[in-house]
Amino acid sequence: MKLWDDVARIMISEQELQARVKELGQELNATYTDEDHPLLICVLKGAFVFLADLIRHLEMRHDVDFMEISSYGAGTASSGVVRILLDLERNIEGRHVLIVEDIIDSGRTLDYITRNLLTRRPASLRVCTLLSKPSRREIDVPVDFVGFEIPDEFVTGYGLDFAEEYRNLPFIGVLKEEIYRNAEI
Ligand code: IMP
Ligand code: MG
């Protein structure tokens, strides 16, 4: 398959992802009760695969909603521009809200989302991210649940894209150098 030929290296295998996502689900089961009835907010597009696997480990009653934020062009570096492309369907006032993110890089996107959601007065606001690149952080945003801390390398797969492609790879991988070469990094 052509797409897979673009992969230089697997950083986190499918098995490792599945095992860790299950553990994160168990952490959430220990955090929230039926009574809390948390609202999971999936940050599109990158987090949709993670959310789909994560919720299948949840035992408490919960809802999901979606939000799409744009902060990147086709390249691999943050433009610093953040805007809401798709907002939530419902009011979150008084709700226990969990933001589900694919990756926290500079922290700018998450900082924007958390500040925006806090103005809507949720009962609580927590963050669950599959990946985090701590060495890239520019804004120190609190994160409650982290799947994996990874080094400063651009990764794709399991929902994460490069120029909208590679989201379907079942692992987290690094692409070959020549694939990234033409992007504005
Ligand atoms: P931040 O605002 O710099 O923290 O970037 C967060 C967003 O950038 C994530 O939600 C991703 O959509 C995207 N992003 C950051 N690093 C990567 C990466 O290595 N691969 C794919 N997308 C990334
Ligand atoms: Mg994202």
Side-chain angles (χ1 to χ4, degrees):
M1 183 179 164
K2 171 79 171 63
L3 210 58
W4 290 50
D5 294 340
D6 296 349
V7 177
R9 188 166 62 82
I10 294 178
M11 185 184 283
I12 307 171
S13 71
E14 184 172 3
Q15 291 75 13
E16 288 174 286
L17 283 170
Q18 295 302 332
R20 185 66 187 126
V21 171
K22 184 175 181 178
E23 286 175 358
L24 287 170
Q26 287 161 351
E27 287 181 44
L28 296 175
N29 288 334
T31 303
Y32 295 104
T33 63
D34 277 349
E35 216 163 77
D36 293 330
H37 200 125
L39 172 67
L40 277 67
I41 297 180
C42 175
V43 183
L44 295 173
K45 302 174 191 165
F48 81 99
V49 176
F50 175 41
L51 177 94
D53 282 347
L54 184 66
I55 61 171
R56 280 177 278 185
H57 296 290
L58 298 186
E59 289 162 2
M60 88 295 291
R61 291 177 177 276
H62 64 275
D63 310 344
V64 299
D65 205 344
F66 298 87
M67 202 169 177
E68 186 170 5
I69 307 291
S70 151
S71 57
Y72 284 70
T76 61
S78 177
S79 62
V81 179
V82 178
R83 67 199 169 94
I84 295 180
L85 299 180
L86 174 76
D87 207 342
L88 302 174
E89 204 169 83
R90 295 211 174 79
N91 198 339
I92 60 166
E93 186 167 349
R95 297 293 307 267
H96 292 282
V97 171
L98 179 71
I99 298 171
V100 179
E101 255 289 22
D102 54 355
I103 185 165
I104 303 169
D105 189 44
S106 69
R108 287 181 188 282
T109 308
L110 183 62
D111 178 64
Y112 176 82
I113 297 172
T114 52
R115 282 188 293 110
N116 182 290
L117 294 183
L118 282 171
T119 66
R120 309 183 196 191
R121 307 201 301 162
S124 69
L125 184 63
R126 291 188 179 91
V127 177
C128 177
T129 187
L130 178 70
L131 306 174
S132 173
K133 290 181 191 169
S135 65
R136 297 262 305 173
R137 205 71 90 248
E138 292 169 27
I139 301 181
D140 191 25
V141 273
V143 182
D144 304 273
F145 308 93
V146 179
F148 300 88
E149 292 200 337
I150 63 168
D152 179 12
E153 278 182 275
F154 195 85
V155 291
T156 55
Y158 200 69
L160 287 94
D161 73 307
F162 171 65
E164 295 298 328
E165 289 190 283
Y166 308 99
R167 297 188 194 275
N168 60 315
L169 299 175
F171 49 79
I172 295 290
V174 179
L175 300 181
K176 289 178 181 165
E177 179 119 19
E178 63 259 33
I179 310 296
Y180 298 126
R181 202 168 290 149
N182 295 328
E184 355 82 59
I185 297 183

